[in-house]
Structure formats: structure tokens, C-alpha cells
Amino acid sequence: MTEKFNPAPPDKHAEDPKQSVKQDTKRDDELDKGLKDTFPASDPVSSTQASSATPDA
């Protein structure tokens, strides 16, 4: 018998799902820590930092 055809082989350029979950968990933990460190505050915690190329308004 011939080898079974696999119509969707794994994408070698795709991100590793386990690594993606670890990165998401790390980001969530950092946001939670930032929220706890700034409570009570009037401004919400930002998940990103402004780049040096962005001028301040």
C-alpha cells in the first residue's frame, strides 16, 4: 500500500503554540502586576510603551 497523503503538512514557519501561550501568559502577568502596582489610579495600565520615534504630544 502507498503512503497516506497528508493534505495539510505542518507549517514550518508558524509559531510554536506552546511558546505563544508562554508569551501570552507572561504578558498577562506583567499587566496584572502593573495594575496592582498602580491601583488606585485614574489612568488605565498601558500594555505597550511608546517608541522613541513617536513624538510626545
Side-chain angles (χ1 to χ4, degrees), residues 8-29:
D11 183 1
K12 65 180 180 180
H13 300 290
E15 291 184 15
D16 180 23
K18 292 179 182 177
Q19 185 68 19
S20 295
V21 169
K22 286 180 184 179
Q23 290 174 347
D24 288 344
T25 302
K26 181 181 176 190
R27 185 179 308 125
D28 287 343
D29 290 344

Side-chain angles (χ1 to χ4, degrees), residues 1 3 5-7 10-11 14 19-20 25 27 29-30 37 39 42-47 54-57:
M1 185 165 210
E3 191 175 318
F5 175 70
N6 184 359
D11 183 1
Q19 185 68 19
S20 295
T25 302
R27 185 179 308 125
D29 290 344
E30 290 173 355
D37 290 345
F39 184 80
S42 59
D43 296 333
V45 175
S46 174
S47 63
T54 306
D56 292 337

